[in-house]
Amino acid sequence: HAYGLLRNAIAGVATAFSLYKLVAYIQESTTLAARYETLGVAMIQVGRNAGYSAAQMNAFAASIQKSGISMVESRSTLTQMAQAHINLADASNLSRVAQDAAVIGNINSSEAFARMIHGIQSGQTEILRTIGITVNFEVAYQKMAYQLGINQKMLTEGERAQARANVVMERGKDIAGAYEASMATAGKQMSSMARYVEDLKVKIGGAFMEAFTYKVFGQAEALKKLGAEMDKLAASG
């Protein structure tokens, strides 16, 4: 009898713990889905500023997701590319280079893509070197200026950023094939699992977004009202 009670108690604790973990997972997933939604709004707005439609931005995001870039990272990185005035038609080519660079850097493709775009945007060759891409941006500027028929000093920041993107794509040929060769290894599959898990969370969280949004807006409104009441109280005192 005592054993049966203990077994039931343990089963009850296990069930409660499982429910707690499930609730925590849903909350984490919904928060991530909310970030994904916010990034989508920012991506489309920054894209419009750069001359791209919402449909084009979503298509670019979908194309780089096919190259192993996570849903969240695809929107975040595309926004950075648009801000830097890099031609977004190059996004899928750059993401494929990132796949190979990820193997060199022992990271997943999403992180490699983020590093690559940051290196291109900032002009920091050291960042690119950590993922196996060695470039000379000065030579890239000279080449761009020659193609445009202008003095190098006349290059705009957008043209310089595009020159950096061009040379990264060229140097990507040096590490081409690393991704395909690594796909049969357990190590590469493990590094890819982070993306699978994150994308799944975004999709699961999306199912709870309506209720989550209603709750968040309600809480925000309540906090604003409380703040207003505290202001009145402070003024009357």
Side-chain angles (χ1 to χ4, degrees):
H1 180 69
Y3 174 75
L5 290 175
L6 177 60
R7 184 179 62 186
N8 291 338
I10 291 174
V13 170
T15 300
F17 181 74
S18 296
L19 288 172
Y20 170 78
K21 294 291 287 184
L22 178 61
V23 170
Y25 184 85
I26 291 173
Q27 289 178 333
E28 185 178 342
S29 297
T30 308
T31 301
L32 188 62
R35 171 166 168 70
Y36 179 68
E37 180 184 52
T38 302
L39 283 171
V41 172
M43 178 189 74
I44 289 172
Q45 183 56 54
V46 174
R48 283 197 183 116
N49 294 343
Y52 298 96
S53 68
Q56 286 177 306
M57 295 303 292
N58 285 323
F60 288 137
S63 71
I64 64 176
Q65 285 169 28
K66 292 178 181 177
S67 297
I69 309 303
S70 73
M71 295 169 68
V72 169
E73 194 59 56
S74 67
R75 288 185 168 183
S76 175
T77 309
L78 269 178
T79 302
Q80 293 176 47
M81 288 181 67
Q83 285 176 317
H85 300 288
I86 299 170
N87 187 352
L88 298 190
D90 293 330
S92 60
N93 288 333
L94 286 166
S95 64
R96 281 193 289 271
V97 175
Q99 284 184 313
D100 294 318
V103 179
I104 307 298
N106 194 31
I107 52 180
N108 63 49
S109 298
S110 299
E111 186 177 346
F113 192 40
R115 283 193 198 180
M116 180 189 297
I117 298 306
H118 179 56
I120 292 171
Q121 187 179 36
S122 64
Q124 297 179 46
T125 57
E126 297 82 4
I127 295 174
L128 297 170
R129 200 172 295 124
T130 63
I131 51 177
I133 300 174
T134 302
V135 293
N136 186 323
F137 286 149
E138 281 303 315
V139 172
Y141 299 149
Q142 291 171 11
K143 184 175 180 180
M144 175 64 79
Y146 177 78
Q147 290 173 341
L148 296 175
I150 59 176
N151 187 288
Q152 183 179 329
K153 294 180 180 179
M154 297 174 64
L155 288 173
T156 66
E157 186 49 48
E159 290 166 344
R160 287 175 176 271
Q162 186 61 51
R164 294 193 291 269
N166 290 346
V167 74
V168 166
M169 287 187 285
E170 288 175 9
R171 293 280 67 79
K173 297 174 185 176
D174 298 337
I175 56 174
Y179 175 78
E180 286 79 4
S182 70
M183 284 307 291
T185 67
K188 179 55 184 170
Q189 291 296 331
M190 286 179 63
S191 68
S192 296
M193 283 179 66
R195 171 173 59 90
Y196 301 148
V197 170
E198 183 179 287
D199 284 354
L200 180 60
K201 284 182 178 179
V202 171
K203 292 172 183 177
I204 290 174
F208 297 90
M209 274 301 297
E210 185 175 352
F212 180 75
T213 301
Y214 179 80
K215 179 181 178 181
V216 169
F217 273 80
Q219 289 177 339
E221 187 61 30
L223 287 171
K224 282 193 283 187
K225 288 182 179 178
L226 180 58
E229 290 300 321
M230 292 303 294
D231 289 340
K232 290 178 183 179
L233 183 61
S236 64

